[in-house]
Amino acid sequence: MMSPEKSIDDLSTEARPVHITVNGTPGQHSVQPRTHLIDFLREDLGLKGSHLGCEHGVCGACTVRLDGQIVRGCLVLAVQTDGRRVDTIEGLSDSGAIRDLQQAFIRHNALQCGFCTSGMLMAASELLEQKPRASREEVREWMSGNYCRCTGYQAIVNAICEVLATRQAARIEGATA
Ligand code: FES
Ligand code: FES
């Protein structure tokens, strides 16, 4: 007679219910314990903006926000985001919050194949919020965790520095108006 108890293999593959708010929309999902966040976003939710590159937390192509802070999505299991908020490039883009950054990337030719671009934009958007007066050197350091294999970093740094300067000028103008 078979034991009614589940084996360790059963437990490790059995889908579990999770409640995750993705890009502002709460939802209940069923995910396997070993599914990492990016596979869940791409395969279960169809949000293909985040990419998987190294899958070792090195390249930054998988960058998303978890409860408002950027994380490497390839190092997070979907079940770990139960009860939490996840924001992806799709949500950030739809909100209009980084329109100036996206336009600067286009103006400066800061992308070619686009594989790294969502991660670059996610990282840069957090920089713009946390370090609005960042120097070029600080931008280079902040973005050093995101790899681009085809554009080169000069154009990416140029685009971010331009947005920093434009936003700074707008703030000064707003304060003196
Ligand atoms: S795929 Fe996550 S850091 Fe490279
Ligand atoms: S634009 Fe191709 S990897 Fe960055």
Side-chain angles (χ1 to χ4, degrees), residues 110-117 120 147-152 156:
L111 68 153
Q112 288 184 49
C113 76
F115 188 84
C116 70
T117 308
M120 290 284 181
Y147 292 2
C148 176
R149 285 184 295 182
C150 58
T151 301
I156 292 167

Side-chain angles (χ1 to χ4, degrees), residues 102-160:
Q102 291 168 304
Q103 288 169 346
F105 265 57
I106 294 167
R107 257 197 317 282
H108 286 270
N109 294 319
L111 68 153
Q112 288 184 49
C113 76
F115 188 84
C116 70
T117 308
S118 60
M120 290 284 181
L121 291 170
M122 295 299 289
S125 70
E126 189 171 74
L127 166 76
L128 289 165
E129 286 170 18
Q130 293 196 8
K131 288 180 173 275
R133 291 181 183 79
S135 66
R136 186 175 183 87
E137 204 42 50
E138 287 174 312
V139 172
R140 289 176 64 85
E141 191 180 334
W142 184 282
M143 298 303 296
S144 64
N146 288 71
Y147 292 2
C148 176
R149 285 184 295 182
C150 58
T151 301
Y153 300 97
Q154 204 70 2
I156 292 167
V157 172
N158 288 346
I160 297 167

Side-chain angles (χ1 to χ4, degrees), residues 51-55 57-62 72 74:
H51 293 130
L52 278 173
C54 64
E55 298 190 52
V58 176
C59 74
C62 61
R72 305 293 207 208
C74 69

Side-chain angles (χ1 to χ4, degrees), residues 7-20:
S7 71
I8 289 174
D9 274 353
D10 286 341
L11 289 172
S12 65
T13 57
E14 200 170 82
R16 299 178 189 180
V18 290
H19 293 83
I20 311 174

